[in-house]
Amino acid sequence: MMHGWQLTSHDTLILEEIGDCVAVYSNATGETHLLDALPAEVLSCLSSGACLTHLELAVAVAAVADEPWENWLPQVCNVLERLASMQLVERFER
Amino acid sequence: MSRRLREQRLCFATGPFKVRLGSDVDSFSATWQRSYASLDVLPAEEICHFRIAVERQRGARRWYRPQVVFRIEGLTPFDPYPLDHAFPMFEWGLNWCIAMSAHDYLMLHSAVVERDGCAVALPAQPGSGKSTLCAALVGRGWRLLSDEFGILRHADGSFLPLPRAAPLKNASIPLLQNFAPHLGFGPRYAKTRKGDVVHMFPPGDSLQRQADPARPRFIVFPRYEPDAVLQLHAQPPEVAMTRLVNNSFNYRVSGAQGFRSLCGLVRECESYQLINGDLSEAVAALESLLQERGR
């Protein structure tokens, strides 16, 4: 069984570009986060309610960043762990 | 007006808020009337947001070290002050009432002034010279929106005025009285919890225009450092956003609406850090900024 990632259950996020960052507001926690481009792109990929594996997310990021997905994979994994620690994303089994 | 104050029937508007005020302290009544001489008094039957009384402490305290109490809706949230500190107690008390309850707006801990249609917010922590700089700009003809609250209206992102007496503290008192002697100043209150305090009274035109909102144009984070060379640095919007989140009275209470309003404010404004050791230089820098980059 593979595990993937989704936005934290019962949360809706508001994303607003602010300068070089993206400000993210979590309706569930009431917290505001300022994220740089990669975590913001990961959240954006998941914001439609999609449940994606880290491989699928690396491919999605590579598509907008014009670089092979293999280059993005370690960073995407790190970013997902960070976003999980902020309670913005969570794992799911599929 | 004195009679209505004694009878607790003095109603007035301060920015978007209506206050019913009563007091049996003559020195307070006299200072209040000097400070807000240009304010239109509302009918005594007006329904108000805040019902406040500034009253002498009863009992033995009437004779021995007399004290004054601040009541809001009959409650006394603070310890009494010395009787002759009634005016600062009222000003701080009303600020507290607004900060605790006016959650229809996003409230920043910030002075706000306006000129040529451009509002400049001066958000800062206590001790950073915010009130001093604000008063100096008012002394140079800027409109006072507020010395303490940047009241941001969610619906259109404009700043609402709340022109009130601005408390100048300690060394700022003679500095401002020399810098702008034409401004109205109240009596000196010695040894308050913030040191010696003198209030700069809000100018009449600022009071008369207290229903006119202003569009935000600049956010300037001031910091006074003795003998510092003037520095005015642009600040990235994401840094300004972070500082404003931490500076707001009610950002967390405001939820998603507050988030959107703050994002809108940061996008609409240019943000700067101002470090100054000389009041004249700081005022000149902000006037140049307005001239060069105002719209």
Side-chain angles (χ1 to χ4, degrees):
Chain A
M1 188 181 289
M2 289 187 71
H3 76 259
W5 296 88
Q6 63 185 9
L7 294 187
T8 303
S9 307
H10 312 301
D11 196 4
T12 51
L13 302 180
I14 307 170
L15 279 67
E16 299 266 3
E17 279 188 36
I18 297 292
D20 294 333
C21 296
V22 173
V24 179
Y25 179 80
S26 161
N27 276 295
T29 64
E31 295 288 342
T32 302
H33 307 273
L34 273 174
L35 305 177
D36 54 26
L38 180 56
E41 184 60 33
V42 168
L43 283 183
S44 180
C45 291
L46 298 174
S47 63
S48 60
C51 305
L52 302 172
T53 65
H54 54 282
L55 288 172
E56 290 166 331
L57 282 165
V59 169
V61 168
V64 293
D66 201 23
E67 262 196 69
W69 66 267
E70 296 90 335
N71 294 0
W72 287 107
L73 191 55
Q75 293 178 67
V76 166
C77 290
N78 285 339
V79 159
L80 284 165
E81 294 298 335
R82 273 176 49 212
L83 293 174
S85 72
M86 297 176 195
Q87 301 176 47
L88 294 174
V89 300
E90 63 187 9
R91 288 171 195 268
F92 79 103
E93 302 296 331
R94 72 175 197 184
Chain B
M1 200 181 280
S2 297
R3 186 174 156 198
R4 285 180 64 173
L5 264 171
R6 273 197 305 277
E7 295 173 350
Q8 311 226 348
R9 293 170 62 239
L10 180 72
C11 296
F12 65 94
T14 180
F17 311 110
K18 290 176 184 170
V19 179
R20 176 182 295 275
L21 178 62
S23 180
D24 60 358
V25 182
D26 291 342
S27 60
F28 167 76
S29 300
T31 306
W32 190 92
Q33 287 176 65
R34 275 185 64 209
S35 181
Y36 297 107
S38 307
L39 213 54
D40 293 330
V41 172
L42 300 172
E45 304 76 29
E46 193 75 30
I47 296 172
C48 294
H49 298 89
F50 305 111
R51 187 166 57 98
I52 292 171
V54 177
E55 295 176 329
R56 287 169 172 270
Q57 180 82 303
R58 307 287 176 216
R61 279 294 189 180
R62 289 173 71 100
W63 316 109
Y64 176 70
R65 292 185 183 171
Q67 291 181 321
V68 63
V69 290
F70 177 94
R71 295 189 212 284
I72 170 75
E73 304 298 337
L75 303 173
T76 51
F78 313 118
D79 290 336
Y81 275 33
L83 182 64
D84 57 0
H85 289 182
F87 187 74
M89 182 179 218
F90 163 73
E91 290 292 333
W92 287 324
L94 180 53
N95 283 349
W96 180 84
C97 294
I98 292 169
M100 296 300 285
S101 62
H103 302 312
D104 289 345
Y105 309 97
L106 183 66
M107 291 184 285
L108 306 176
H109 185 207
S110 174
V112 184
V113 290
E114 178 263 342
R115 179 179 268 182
D116 301 335
C118 295
V120 180
L122 303 167
Q125 299 300 312
S128 55
K130 160 179 69 72
S131 293
T132 310
L133 180 57
C134 170
L137 289 165
V138 171
R140 289 290 185 268
W142 294 59
R143 174 161 71 115
L144 173 68
L145 271 79
S146 178
D147 164 68
E148 186 72 7
F149 289 99
I151 298 187
L152 198 65
R153 184 162 60 185
H154 293 300
D156 63 357
S158 59
F159 276 123
L160 301 187
L162 185 65
R164 305 257 309 282
L168 304 168
K169 292 140 205 151
N170 304 315
S172 293
I173 297 167
L175 186 65
L176 248 297
Q177 288 176 332
N178 289 326
F179 187 85
H182 58 284
L183 291 172
F185 294 98
R188 188 182 195 94
Y189 301 102
K191 296 180 181 173
T192 75
R193 61 195 166 120
K194 296 195 173 184
D196 288 3
V197 169
V198 168
H199 291 85
M200 178 201 79
F201 295 152
D205 64 312
S206 296
L207 288 172
Q208 288 297 312
R209 294 187 60 199
Q210 68 167 346
D212 298 346
R215 293 305 306 172
R217 178 68 183 102
F218 299 105
I219 302 165
V220 178
F221 297 91
R223 195 171 79 220
Y224 170 76
E225 290 178 8
D227 305 322
V229 176
L230 182 90
Q231 299 172 57
L232 183 64
H233 297 304
Q235 191 134 80
E238 59 271 25
V239 175
M241 173 92 184
T242 305
R243 295 184 74 172
L244 289 174
V245 165
N246 294 323
N247 167 279
S248 170
F249 287 105
N250 65 341
Y251 176 75
R252 286 192 70 88
V253 178
S254 300
Q257 199 173 34
F259 172 77
R260 288 198 174 96
S261 291
L262 206 55
C263 288
L265 176 68
V266 170
R267 280 209 202 92
E268 190 166 354
C269 292
E270 293 179 10
S271 300
Y272 294 88
Q273 169 81 57
L274 172 70
I275 299 171
N276 72 287
D278 181 282
L279 196 55
S280 300
E281 287 181 1
V283 169
L286 292 181
E287 293 192 322
S288 296
L289 182 68
L290 180 71
Q291 205 163 19
E292 290 163 14
R293 304 196 58 84
R295 57 179 174 225

